[in-house]
Amino acid sequence: MSIHNNDSSKEPSIHTDFTNNMTYGEYLALDRLLSSQKRLSGHHDEMLFIIIHQVSELWMKLIIHEMQGAISAIQKDELQPAFKMLARVSKIQTQIIQAWDVLSTMTPSEYMEFREKLGQASGFQSYQYRQIEFLLGYKTPHILTIYQKDSELHAILEKAYRAPSIYDAAIEALARAGFPIDPDLLRRDYSITYTGNPTVEAAWLSVYKDVKTYWDLYQLAEKLIDIEDWLQQWRFRHMKTVERIIGFKMGTGGSSGVQYLKKVLDHRFFPELWDLRTKL
Ligand code: HEM
């Protein structure tokens, strides 16, 4: 990749013959990427609406990649590389939270001019978002039904649905470190959303009460809290942006809209890590 310069003609070594070499655009498949913004209404603001979703989906792709890497590192007790990947996830989350500021420049009147073109399409059907929820341990099966018509995608989603979450991996790490974790938990059905267990709470409490001895596990717990905290902030900003743009209208996905988005804010991915703060 070359450095852009306002007066490139004065750069003696600038490459201009790409007959036999790959360009920046080819490497990044920019032809496909930049021709994927297909407005259905021709309305000026629909471009913002499409790009904000596409950018969020691209970042989600990287979140999934990093989280899968982090889970396999935790499973091998390689916590330092996992911390690096989880720190990156948190930074990406701050980016997608900032994206709400850009979207908020669209007014309700502008959105209403092209909303009906979306039909029943909604972020509710974002399979990458559900994959992230699966990686965090929130296993809702409706996405599997929605994507039944696409067997390849359905298989990917089903695999993620049945796989251990990052919190399952963390609980197994606690057990390997010698904490007495309920054995049923260690052979549980991973497709069921985790709701809490007293042996896990006792283990995390011990970690937080003796951080010097359990520094790595303590750091793992704090990285998980970072991710859940940012995810809730993303959810909150989404809910408020939606209220600002459509008020209390129903969503295009068929939900009650803001009411539904408020309800999902109540879900906690890592319950013991929140509860222990009161108990310490
Ligand atoms: C004008 C902008 C937006 C509006 C009015 C809006 C509205 C809504 C509504 C009402 C829902 C609830 C489901 C439904 O009935 O449709 C929803 C869900 C969702 N939206 Fe948006 N949204 C907007 C922008 C975005 C953006 C930029 C993203 C980024 C990818 C996004 C991702 C999601 C996701 C992942 C869900 C599922 C949330 C869950 O089930 O917990 N939305 N949206």
Side-chain angles (χ1 to χ4, degrees), residues 156-194:
I156 293 171
L157 290 170
E158 174 133 38
K159 193 169 168 217
Y161 180 67
R162 303 205 176 280
S165 71
I166 196 156
Y167 200 52
D168 290 312
I171 292 170
E172 284 156 17
L174 286 171
R176 284 194 302 278
F179 290 101
I181 301 293
D182 185 346
D184 286 345
L185 209 52
L186 302 174
R187 43 172 187 260
R188 76 185 202 91
D189 175 354
Y190 296 124
S191 68
I192 296 169
T193 301
Y194 178 82

Side-chain angles (χ1 to χ4, degrees), residues 32 37 66 87 90 143 145 158 161 168 182 204 237:
R32 271 180 285 149
Q37 292 69 43
E66 299 295 338
S90 289
I143 202 71
T145 319
E158 174 133 38
Y161 180 67
D168 290 312
D182 185 346
W204 285 128
R237 289 293 316 275

Side-chain angles (χ1 to χ4, degrees), residues 101-273:
D101 290 345
V102 186
L103 186 61
S104 299
T105 62
M106 183 174 71
T107 67
S109 340
E110 285 158 353
Y111 181 53
M112 287 320 287
E113 284 180 45
F114 64 88
R115 187 181 192 230
E116 65 169 28
K117 295 279 184 204
L118 306 176
Q120 296 181 345
S122 158
F124 189 80
Q125 298 129 25
S126 166
Y127 50 82
Q128 292 205 109
Y129 185 75
R130 297 301 168 210
Q131 251 179 292
I132 293 171
E133 286 188 333
F134 292 171
L135 287 163
L136 293 171
Y138 186 41
K139 306 287 181 87
T140 49
H142 49 67
I143 202 71
L144 297 169
T145 319
I146 295 172
Y147 287 100
Q148 226 152 17
K149 61 179 182 181
D150 181 339
S151 58
E152 210 174 307
L153 178 57
H154 189 267
I156 293 171
L157 290 170
E158 174 133 38
K159 193 169 168 217
Y161 180 67
R162 303 205 176 280
S165 71
I166 196 156
Y167 200 52
D168 290 312
I171 292 170
E172 284 156 17
L174 286 171
R176 284 194 302 278
F179 290 101
I181 301 293
D182 185 346
D184 286 345
L185 209 52
L186 302 174
R187 43 172 187 260
R188 76 185 202 91
D189 175 354
Y190 296 124
S191 68
I192 296 169
T193 301
Y194 178 82
T195 50
N197 181 288
T199 61
V200 173
E201 181 173 281
W204 285 128
L205 267 171
S206 305
V207 167
Y208 274 73
K209 281 181 178 160
D210 187 0
V211 295
K212 279 196 184 131
T213 308
Y214 301 112
W215 186 265
D216 272 3
L217 288 167
Y218 167 64
Q219 208 180 334
L220 174 60
E222 285 297 297
K223 288 270 180 282
L224 294 180
I225 280 284
D226 279 344
I227 290 174
E228 176 157 357
D229 194 354
W230 287 122
L231 192 100
Q232 293 293 28
Q233 293 193 42
W234 182 91
R235 280 174 161 174
F236 181 80
R237 289 293 316 275
H238 177 230
M239 183 270 290
K240 281 318 261 186
T241 311
V242 171
E243 185 177 348
R244 180 173 168 161
I245 297 178
I246 64 165
F248 288 85
K249 290 190 192 76
M250 269 181 74
T252 48
S255 83
S256 56
V258 168
Q259 303 294 4
Y260 164 78
L261 295 171
K262 274 192 182 149
K263 208 169 67 204
V264 288
L265 268 172
D266 289 339
H267 177 78
R268 294 192 306 171
F269 296 92
F270 315 132
E272 291 89 0
L273 295 183

Side-chain angles (χ1 to χ4, degrees), residues 42-111:
H43 190 280
H44 177 86
D45 293 278
E46 195 185 345
M47 187 64 103
L48 162 66
F49 186 77
I50 293 172
I51 288 181
I52 208 99
H53 281 87
Q54 289 180 337
V55 165
S56 303
E57 289 288 341
L58 275 177
W59 280 128
M60 284 191 228
K61 182 166 183 168
L62 189 54
I63 291 178
I64 293 167
H65 179 68
E66 299 295 338
M67 287 205 37
Q68 286 170 336
I71 291 176
S72 71
I74 296 167
Q75 287 169 333
K76 288 184 262 172
D77 284 324
E78 291 170 358
L79 294 187
Q80 295 302 323
F83 296 158
K84 174 92 175 32
M85 293 182 253
L86 295 177
R88 185 175 291 160
V89 170
S90 289
K91 291 281 181 198
I92 300 166
Q93 288 177 296
T94 64
Q95 290 285 314
I96 54 176
I97 291 168
Q98 290 278 315
W100 295 119
D101 290 345
V102 186
L103 186 61
S104 299
T105 62
M106 183 174 71
T107 67
S109 340
E110 285 158 353
Y111 181 53

